[in-house]
Amino acid sequence: MSANTASRGHVRRLRPTRALASALQGLPRLWAGGWAGLLLLMLMIPLGGWTAGSEAAQHLFTVMAVVLTLAVWTGLTAVALDRDPPPGGVATGPVLLRVVLAAVLNLIFLAMIAVVLALVSLAIAGMSGLNLEAIQARDWANVGPVWQLGVLGLVGLIVLVVPLLLIVRLSLFVQATVGRGHAVSLNTMGIAQGSFWALMLLFLTLAVPPLAVLGWAASHGLTGFAMVALIGLWMPVSAGALAAAYGQLEYWSPDGPGHLGGG
């Protein structure tokens, strides 16, 4: 990758509304290319109820559901990016293995960061000299000086913000892996550089409606119907929106030195 290509990639910006519009426009194509995978996921919903009596069966069902969901998500991403879409929208073989490898590498990286942050926060808390008994009793007036509480609060904020920042910047790893044709883990942060808030806004837009629907459905005993609706509608919309976001941010194409067009 040339320096000129990289510099042009850094000025690219994500437009969440355009990504959502592209996903809605491409919804018929996602349905046509991923109907089999979406149907399989819908059929998994009643299967979960049948495994309620056996802990081993529940563990097996959880593993199957996770693998199938990742395979369907990867397949929908391939359909949205038009990168060798698999039959029925269910990714298998090398494509799925590359996505799994990228996910494992990202999880290892995030776990290492979490351990370091936890050790640092524990060390600072241990050296602070605060009254632990007062903390346990929630007697904040006798915990310690205000400046020490401020420092601990700042450390706690960093512990929360740093993982969130990394997770958002790594969130397009499936799209990058499918788009580039090889496992992309930490390099995904370069694709999302400068677009944290736009990505965060896009994720909130995609996450809040289904959570609200599930909360309403759970209170009315309609969780199964809500899951079917979310799989059939919101999953392809989300896959299309994130694929379009990746298309807007990507600065490298596996076909050559050119850029992927933004959707």
Side-chain angles (χ1 to χ4, degrees):
M1 181 179 64
S2 66
N4 186 39
T5 302
S7 64
R8 283 185 291 171
H10 289 314
V11 301
R12 305 195 75 183
R13 290 294 180 266
L14 170 62
R15 297 173 177 83
T17 54
R18 183 180 297 181
L20 287 171
S22 176
L24 293 174
Q25 292 172 1
L27 192 55
R29 183 165 61 90
L30 284 167
W31 278 333
W35 65 271
L38 296 173
L39 182 60
L40 285 174
L41 282 179
M42 293 177 187
L43 293 176
M44 291 290 287
I45 296 174
L47 182 60
W50 298 338
T51 62
S54 171
E55 184 175 351
Q58 287 180 341
H59 289 316
L60 178 61
F61 170 79
T62 300
V63 172
M64 291 173 56
V66 170
V67 173
L68 181 59
T69 301
L70 186 59
V72 173
W73 180 259
T74 303
L76 289 173
T77 300
V79 173
L81 293 175
D82 197 19
R83 293 287 182 182
D84 299 324
V90 183
T92 57
V95 176
L96 183 59
L97 291 177
R98 286 194 291 264
V99 171
V100 171
L101 175 60
V104 170
L105 293 175
N106 284 338
L107 288 175
I108 292 174
F109 171 71
L110 292 173
M112 293 171 59
I113 296 297
V115 169
V116 171
L117 291 174
L119 291 176
V120 171
S121 60
L122 288 174
I124 294 176
M127 294 185 297
S128 65
L130 296 178
N131 188 338
L132 297 181
E133 294 181 357
I135 295 176
Q136 293 175 348
R138 297 185 179 181
D139 184 9
W140 306 116
N142 296 317
V143 169
V146 175
W147 70 268
Q148 288 183 334
L149 292 175
V151 171
L152 288 179
L154 179 61
V155 172
L157 182 62
I158 293 174
V159 169
L160 293 175
V161 169
V162 170
L164 177 63
L165 176 65
L166 294 175
I167 289 171
V168 172
R169 291 191 61 184
L170 290 169
S171 58
L172 297 178
F173 76 93
V174 174
Q175 290 73 25
T177 297
V178 173
R180 294 189 176 186
H182 60 266
V184 181
S185 54
L186 300 185
N187 286 340
T188 313
M189 289 193 289
I191 299 173
Q193 182 175 345
S195 298
F196 171 80
W197 291 112
L199 266 176
M200 191 68 181
L201 176 61
L202 180 59
F203 279 119
L204 288 175
T205 304
L206 293 173
V208 170
L211 291 177
V213 169
L214 285 175
W216 177 87
S219 63
H220 291 78
L222 299 172
T223 303
F225 291 103
M227 289 295 296
V228 170
L230 292 177
I231 291 172
L233 178 60
W234 210 250
M235 189 172 184
V237 168
S238 298
L242 293 180
Y246 165 74
Q248 293 177 16
L249 295 172
E250 178 62 286
Y251 52 83
W252 176 86
S253 170
D255 296 329
H259 293 54
L260 287 175

